[in-house]
Amino acid sequence: MIPIYWFAIHLILIPISIVRIRSNIYSAILYSIGISCIYLYFLKDITYDLNWYYNYFISPHDGYEYLFFQITNIMRNELKLNEYFIHFAFTIFTAFFFTYSFRKIVSTHQNRILAFVLSFSTLFVLLSTQNVIRQGISLSLISILLLDKEIRPIKFTTVGLIATLFHWSAPLFCALLLASKLIAFKVPRRYQIPFSLLCGITMSLLLSLAYSGTGVEVVYLEISRFEEGRQDSTVKYIYYFTFWVISHFLATRNNTEDNDNYSRLLDIRKIVIISILPLAFYPEAFSRIAYFYLLVDSMVCITSILSDKIKRRQAGAVILFSYGIAINALNILSGGQFIFDTF
């Protein structure tokens, strides 16, 4: 039932996001739908396939992820919260920092609240608050730097360090963020695609070198559609790329404002989707790095829905539709059974 609930919410959102009605009624409807999405997070389980994941909220690992360790201990030992409420608290943190990151596009206070509520309908918040909640928080913190036109070394280093104390993968995402911003802000648009592809090839080579001889099988070229109930990385990429093409075309068609924050966000999304192409053959690495694309994609989705421009809202509707039928989302919400039952 939960996957049907998820699909129905997005199906209702699509026409509402395109056809703009009176602002107070429009806001009330969006609030209602957003709250329904939040309720869905109470219905689903913390994790759909990793039973040991509960241990993170019972006895968190004390290591590099120091902030996650300390905050979890406070919530469990001082506030006496169980693992379900601890997990939901981290989910709220993720949605808050994610929404805060595009404050420069969503200007009014009311729309910022709407953006927070609607963030629970995005693929980034849903997927990154499952088995990878630590990485989700880390990524949402890094996203604060995304739309800063200037790269401030102190701010960049501070946010990157804090994000690393939630998850060790933060330096990798900081490097991808830095590369994406440099290409978006410094490279002319006609050269951005080849530069993005070069960035992706470089990342894939570095990963190959990093994992060679470690015994960890990160690279495999055998194309199997599903591996142990998980969607294949190449299938995921084709899915993301298809809906990126459609939504990007709608968002940029007849666009006269090509230097505002929204346009820069579109550029970064284009750079990231091209950059992760070579990583589609690294199943585990791709499943992690793709969260960065989903982060940017979800930002585009929410800001498009709240835009006054019809073309942008149409682009947001296309992205919403892709979230409503996303196999990885439906699989999570069905407790890992959707792929097995359907395919």
Side-chain angles (χ1 to χ4, degrees), residues 156-170:
F156 195 93
T157 304
T158 302
V159 173
L161 178 61
I162 294 172
T164 304
L165 293 176
F166 277 102
H167 197 266
W168 58 268
S169 65

Side-chain angles (χ1 to χ4, degrees), residues 22-41:
R22 289 179 59 187
S23 59
N24 56 341
I25 299 175
Y26 182 71
S27 299
I29 294 173
L30 289 182
Y31 273 123
S32 301
I33 294 173
I35 292 170
S36 298
C37 276
I38 295 175
Y39 176 65
L40 183 146
Y41 283 71

Side-chain angles (χ1 to χ4, degrees), residues 48 229 330-343:
Y48 72 100
L330 299 175
N331 194 48
I332 281 177
L333 295 171
S334 65
Q337 293 301 308
F338 182 80
I339 287 178
F340 289 123
D341 293 345
T342 307
F343 301 93

Side-chain angles (χ1 to χ4, degrees), residues 268-282:
I268 292 174
R269 187 174 69 138
K270 174 184 65 180
I271 291 163
V272 175
I273 191 65
I274 300 299
S275 296
I276 64 176
L277 170 59
L279 296 171
F281 296 103
Y282 296 65

Side-chain angles (χ1 to χ4, degrees), residues 13 48 84 91 117 134 144 153 171 200 206 238 241 260 264 269 330:
L13 262 175
Y48 72 100
Y84 294 97
T91 301
V117 174
R134 294 164 297 135
I144 295 174
L206 290 175
I238 292 170
F241 186 82
D260 60 348
R264 284 196 287 270
R269 187 174 69 138
L330 299 175

